Amino acid sequence: MMAHGVPLSWYLILSAILFCLGIAGFLFRKNIITVFMSIELMLNAVNLSFIAFSYQLRQVNGHIFTFFVMVVAAAEAAVGLAIILTVFKNRNTLDIDEISEMND
Amino acid sequence: MEFFLVSLLKIAVVFAGLMTTLAYLQWVERKVIAHVQVRIGPSRVGPHGLMQPLADVVKLVTKEGLLPSYVNRPFYLLAPVLAITMALTSISVIPFGSEVSVGGYHTWMQLTDLNVGILFVLAISSMGVYGVALAGWSSNNKYSLLGGLRSSAQMVSYELPLSLAITAPLLLAGTLSLREIVQSQAGFNFGFLPRWSVFNGPFPQIFSFLIFVIAGFAETNRVPFDLPEAENELVAGFHTEYSSLQFAAFFMSEYANMITITAITTILFLGGWTPLFPASLGSNFVPPVLLFIVGAVALYAGLTPRRKRDGFTFPVVALIFWILAALFLLPFLQQFLIPFFWFAAKVGTLLFIFMWVRATLPRFRYDQLMGFAWKFLFPAALINLLITGLLVALTAK
Amino acid sequence: MDIFFFLLFATVAVGCGISVVMQTHPISSALSLVGVMGSLAVLYLLLGAEFIAMAQIIVYAGAIMVLFIFVIMLLNAGAEQRAGRSLMVKVLGAPVLIGFGGILIYFFAVNFGDATPVHFGAFQGGSARAIGRALFENYLLPFEVTSVLILIAIIGAVVLAQKEME
């Protein structure tokens, strides 16, 4: 049973796939909440590679970074969702293409 | 191989026991509330309504499972499954008793021990909110939606004081494994005072015990925090649209959550399976004596019956209790039964308090509920944690 | 056993990840994201990060995503209308993304192809004790700074969400 370990590269490739999925969501979706969730997906993908490298190097530092990413993600979600609520209250839409006044 | 067999056996025993407890807990609750309100409670099906849970199961199973046409079907079907799965999963790390040995094979009265056990329970219980929130949202009904919204806001808010209240006794125990938390509370101060964290130094955890229990009421959506299903405002809240087995799943998950919360309270604050006073003072004889007294009372009630059938049912109850008392005296069974008795007695007392509160207190208003969590419980838990941490640091060797 | 669990939960993670991007309704996306986070937590366990795995469930799945779902339910946001983004994203988006992903995967496969395989239980450094020690010894300043960050986030959220003053 011990002989069949999982190659470390598989974990990293999984992390790369999830990261790309996150970018795809960020680029192609129009709902501001879904875009925000895609960012969370990317953060999660990065966390996976942190943990995988931490395993490879037998160090706990990667775990600490993941921990900080979680804390920042929580703070980001709180502020981001408050912004989304405010935007929805003022514009009555969640479509990011319609919230582009600063562009014009 | 042996490990798998023993694990399967343990899972079967725990599952059967849990399901029976869940069914009868509801009977007990109805009886307790009835007697608080000077009623009789269920009494038609079987003697003292003892067959009522069975009748309820038959009723719920044979009822038609309605699937309203306007619901979001996949999530509507997923929600009860999620609720019951999350409610039952956390039981797997709860230790019901100490180590036992059968024919030279040593095992624990616990399905599995994780070294992050308490975090596991927290994680799983924080996932439980999805069942409620999804049920509320997918039902496509304003009452359900309001119930789901209230529930998710309430559970997230009360998770904070709950986690902070857990942290303080963890500082005393110095471990996250539920088994080791109980072991750290074994032993007695001055030879008789149990070293449970609720009254063990350097700082007795009585405040975090109270905060934990109050937050536990809110986490299980029980009175006085049952706003997600407040029937006079929201019909039945998040499970308005559910019937049959799906309703049963929500109902069972509420009771399973109650058992989990009380079991965790017992483990963290009340010393799990450790007895109230040392075995040298005869604590091993408490369960048989207690059961014997209950049997004697039942026999006395049977000899002076107020109703005709009491003359038959009470002596039978007395006989059952005396057999149980005799079982506690068998040396082979003592290692299983006595720790389990103390664990079950503590959990049962807490469950009784849950029911007592439900029969006594009115419901909070929504703003009061949130204000209570954020303006009182949360700061109180923080101050408690601060003092505990300070005293633990000062007394550390 | 390791391989089996990895493949199972990696498949779930990728499936849910695709679902996050493809689903039109935000609630479906949010639940798929919870699925990704849950399966990632299992993978963290396989990598010996037991504390982080539990923190992942408690913080991400139990708090952040509940907040998302709460906001989606509160706004009662419906499914989004299918409509194109800007021309550049339409034309260049998919090819560039696939190219970027391909480069990443190639880089990982080449550079870490011969790294020691991952066995469950081989790395025990992820316990709560080890994390706490590292956090309060080597990373004390960043830890304290995050507390300021969270305080700012709380104040920011309250200011943004409060009702307009008359």
Side-chain angles (χ1 to χ4, degrees), chain A residues 6 8 14 20 22 35 41 47-48 55 58-59 66 68 73-74 87 97:
Chain A
V6 184
L8 186 79
L14 174 66
C20 289
V35 169
L41 183 58
N47 281 354
L48 178 62
Y55 177 93
R58 299 289 193 274
Q59 281 179 359
T66 308
F68 284 137
V87 165
D97 285 351

Side-chain angles (χ1 to χ4, degrees), chain A residues 75 78-79, chain C residues 145-160:
Chain A
V79 177
Chain C
V145 171
T146 50
S147 68
V148 178
L149 175 77
I150 288 179
L151 186 65
I152 295 170
I154 293 173
I155 296 171
V158 169
V159 168
L160 281 170

Side-chain angles (χ1 to χ4, degrees), chain B residues 86 90 116-130 159 163 166, chain C residues 41 53-59 61-63:
Chain B
M86 292 309 164
S90 30
V116 285
I118 187 81
L119 290 180
F120 179 77
V121 175
L122 265 184
I124 295 295
S125 75
S126 70
M127 293 290 281
V129 66
Y130 283 107
E159 200 124 286
S163 323
I166 285 177
Chain C
M54 291 303 141
Q56 163 98 356
I57 300 272
I58 294 174
V59 176

Side-chain angles (χ1 to χ4, degrees), chain A residues 36 40 72-82, chain C residues 64 67-68:
Chain A
F36 200 4
E40 298 290 337
V72 172
E76 174 204 328
V79 177
L81 287 172
Chain C
I64 298 182
L67 208 58
F68 270 99

Side-chain angles (χ1 to χ4, degrees), chain B residues 30 43 51 68 70 114 135 171 175 202 210 244 252 258 261 301 303 317 325 331 333 337 339 353 356 365 392:
Chain B
R30 287 173 71 175
S43 60
M51 293 290 130
Y70 43 79
L114 303 179
L171 281 178
T175 171
L210 291 175
S244 183
M252 270 165 60
M258 254 166 75
I261 265 297
L303 292 178
V317 170
L333 286 176
L337 287 179
I353 293 176
W356 189 7
R365 217 172 51 213
V392 167

Side-chain angles (χ1 to χ4, degrees), chain B residues 27-37 352 355-356 359:
Chain B
W27 175 82
V28 172
E29 171 151 34
R30 287 173 71 175
K31 274 288 186 192
V32 167
I33 292 180
H35 283 282
V36 171
Q37 296 166 346
F352 176 74
M355 292 163 189
W356 189 7

Side-chain angles (χ1 to χ4, degrees), chain B residues 205-260:
Chain B
Q205 292 303 315
I206 181 80
F207 297 113
S208 67
F209 171 71
L210 291 175
I211 293 165
F212 185 85
V213 171
I214 293 171
F217 278 106
E219 285 287 305
T220 48
N221 295 331
R222 295 278 303 186
V223 175
F225 305 108
D226 65 335
L227 285 123
E229 42 195 313
E231 62 271 11
N232 44 10
E233 306 165 25
L234 296 180
V235 190
F238 61 88
H239 55 62
T240 305
E241 300 289 350
Y242 284 88
S243 54
S244 183
L245 278 177
Q246 293 158 329
F247 172 74
F250 280 117
F251 205 66
M252 270 165 60
S253 66
E254 181 186 328
Y255 283 90
N257 281 332
M258 254 166 75
I259 291 182
T260 314

